[in-house]
Amino acid sequence: QRLYMIQIAICEDNFSYAKGLSFKITKYFMDKDFEMNISIISKPEEFADMNIKKFDLFFLDIELGSINGIDLGVKIKKLNSNFISLFFNY
């Protein structure tokens, strides 16, 4: 029985990229028999209305219009001390 659900946030303004990444993440965690909940956030401003601390894992686009992913990561780090950043190209 699964005891923990991983909460994942994908902050990406390109919906097709976000869906593709969501599919890859879902496949990865399902193969490992983890449950997850993925939230796709298309605008960084939407984080203001959310409880950032509920997320365990963030995938941040670098170019997000009014704010970039690095600046958003700094803001998340201030609100969630468990936040760790990692850059990757998918």
Side-chain angles (χ1 to χ4, degrees):
Q1 181 178 0
R2 297 173 184 152
L3 300 175
Y4 185 73
M5 180 178 291
I6 298 171
Q7 299 292 331
I8 300 170
I10 298 173
C11 193
E12 169 63 70
D13 55 356
N14 183 313
F15 187 73
S16 63
Y17 286 159
K19 289 303 285 181
L21 182 57
S22 176
F23 176 79
K24 289 177 184 181
I25 293 168
T26 299
K27 181 171 178 2
Y28 175 84
F29 282 106
M30 288 182 79
D31 288 347
K32 309 244 178 303
D33 204 29
F34 278 89
E35 283 192 42
M36 89 254 15
N37 181 41
I38 299 176
S39 298
I40 296 176
I41 298 127
S42 61
K43 297 178 185 140
E45 299 83 23
E46 293 176 37
F47 273 118
D49 299 329
M50 299 181 144
N51 177 7
I52 290 178
K53 291 183 179 185
K54 80 174 186 176
F55 293 107
D56 302 301
L57 185 59
F58 295 88
F59 290 85
L60 306 175
D61 186 8
I62 295 300
E63 297 178 18
L64 288 167
S66 64
I67 188 171
N68 68 46
I70 295 169
D71 292 340
L72 182 57
V74 169
K75 289 182 177 187
I76 292 170
K77 178 68 176 174
K78 288 179 182 176
L79 296 171
N80 185 343
S81 62
N82 294 326
F83 178 72
I84 298 171
S85 63
L86 173 68
F87 294 98
F88 69 96
N89 186 354
Y90 62 91

